């Protein structure tokens, strides 16, 4: 059974803290993604990576960075957490797209910044 | 910025009824149009998908209708069941890119 695992289901952090969200996939996928899910705004792409040590900005990268040192692991970093980063964060992975590719999602991390 | 617009934001349907969710896109260079289903506490999962050279695709009670000239596609859920209650996202895969563009989501509630 394919799996994308996010290290935490719930996190509460203080404003200004550096926050790490971890994601691991066991499908040997080249592509990995971090999305943010907010009511009424859908899934917005923060960053994605198409290979180890490679990354590209998505639609809302401000205030975030990422790290991909190994193929199976993709980390999202909030350099200095702010209350407007309170959200559900979803990690996903996929094979390289040839026009058709399924994205597999983790269960999400609900982050609250107080 | 490529966009996919989805409506309605929420939908209540009686058991046995037809649920219809609509999406429209603004860029013609999309290669693939999937729908994802998300249950509470879970990540989204692929439900059904269609390529732009096909006008309709059916899998069980779920059907995608695609209108290329109008740049619109829709999900129909026939004989809707309470177990179909979930959030549904349409998406589009831009040609030459490695990422999906998602709609804003529709929260479907099927009443018993």
């Amino acid at each position: 059974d394919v799996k994308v695992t996010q290290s935490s289901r719930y996190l509460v952090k203080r404003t200004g803290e550096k926050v790490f969200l971890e994601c691991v996939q066991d499908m040997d996928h080249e592509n990995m993604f971090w999305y943010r899910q907010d009511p009424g705004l859908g899934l917005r792409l923060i960053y994605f990576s198409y290979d180890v040590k490679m990354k590209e900005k998505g639609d809302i990268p401000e205030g975030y960075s990422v790290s991909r040192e190994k193929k199976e692991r993709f980390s999202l970093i909030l350099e200095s957490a702010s209350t407007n980063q309170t959200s559900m964060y979803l990690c996903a992975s996929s094979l390289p797209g040839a026009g058709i590719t399924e994205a597999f999602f983790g269960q999400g991390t609900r982050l609250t910044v107080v | 910025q490529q966009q996919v617009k989805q409506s309605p934001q929420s939908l209540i349907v009686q058991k046995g009824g037809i649920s219809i969710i609509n999406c429209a896109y603004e860029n013609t260079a999309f290669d693939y149009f999937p729908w994802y289903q998300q249950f509470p506490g879970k990540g989204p999962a692929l439900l059904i998908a269609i390529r732009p050279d096909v006008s309709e695709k059916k899998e069980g009670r779920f059907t995608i209708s695609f209108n290329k000239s109008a740049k619109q596609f829709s999900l129909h859920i026939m004989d809707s069941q309470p177990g179909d209650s979930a959030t549904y996202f349409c998406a589009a895969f831009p040609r030459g890119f490695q990422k999906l563009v998602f709609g804003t989501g529709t929260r479907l509630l099927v009443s018993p």
Side-chain angles (χ1 to χ4, degrees):
Chain A
D1 196 16
V2 296
K3 229 175 190 176
V4 177
T5 303
Q6 294 182 229
S7 54
S8 303
R9 292 293 304 274
Y10 301 94
L11 275 179
V12 180
K13 296 292 181 181
R14 295 195 180 278
T15 301
E17 274 193 78
K18 190 169 186 176
V19 181
F20 293 85
L21 303 183
E22 306 286 346
C23 176
V24 176
Q25 51 99 359
D26 66 359
M27 294 166 282
D28 201 34
H29 284 168
E30 284 79 3
N31 294 347
M32 294 190 75
F33 309 84
W34 275 106
Y35 288 90
R36 172 176 171 161
Q37 181 176 6
D38 299 287
L41 297 177
L43 300 172
R44 294 181 292 166
L45 183 63
I46 305 172
Y47 267 97
F48 71 102
S49 168
Y50 50 89
D51 201 352
V52 175
K53 297 190 186 290
M54 306 300 287
K55 61 185 179 184
E56 282 199 21
K57 293 180 180 179
D59 300 320
I60 52 165
E62 296 78 19
Y64 303 94
S65 62
V66 290
S67 172
R68 192 167 181 201
E69 297 295 321
K70 293 185 178 181
K71 190 176 184 180
E72 67 271 18
R73 186 179 297 269
F74 192 35
S75 303
L76 180 69
I77 304 156
L78 285 68
E79 298 290 343
S80 177
S82 63
T83 55
N84 62 14
Q85 292 178 310
T86 291
S87 186
M88 171 69 83
Y89 290 87
L90 288 162
C91 175
S93 72
S94 76
L95 290 168
I100 298 177
T101 184
E102 178 177 356
F104 294 86
F105 284 84
Q107 290 192 308
T109 296
R110 184 164 294 281
L111 172 67
T112 302
V113 182
V114 299
Chain B
Q1 187 174 348
Q2 296 150 333
Q3 282 193 330
V4 177
K5 296 183 178 178
Q6 183 171 349
S7 63
Q9 190 169 353
S10 62
L11 181 62
I12 300 175
V13 173
Q14 285 199 327
K15 180 181 175 180
I18 302 173
S19 303
I20 301 174
I21 304 170
N22 299 299
C23 285
Y25 61 97
E26 299 180 343
N27 186 314
T28 56
F30 288 117
D31 279 338
Y32 172 65
F33 298 89
W35 286 86
Y36 281 77
Q37 179 188 53
Q38 183 182 29
F39 292 107
K42 303 286 187 183
L46 180 65
L47 178 65
I48 186 172
I50 196 168
R51 297 187 73 159
D53 54 351
V54 176
S55 61
E56 185 176 282
K57 183 173 182 180
K58 186 175 181 179
E59 290 184 1
R61 296 183 294 108
F62 300 90
T63 300
I64 301 178
S65 298
F66 183 76
N67 186 331
K68 192 172 184 177
S69 61
K71 297 182 189 176
Q72 294 175 347
F73 57 110
S74 59
L75 176 70
H76 290 64
I77 306 174
M78 311 300 289
D79 187 26
S80 299
Q81 299 297 312
D84 298 329
S85 298
T87 299
Y88 293 82
F89 293 96
C90 63
F93 196 101
R95 185 172 303 157
F97 289 86
Q98 296 284 341
K99 58 182 183 178
L100 284 167
V101 177
F102 283 92
T104 51
T106 296
R107 196 166 182 177
L108 171 65
L109 177 64
V110 181
S111 59

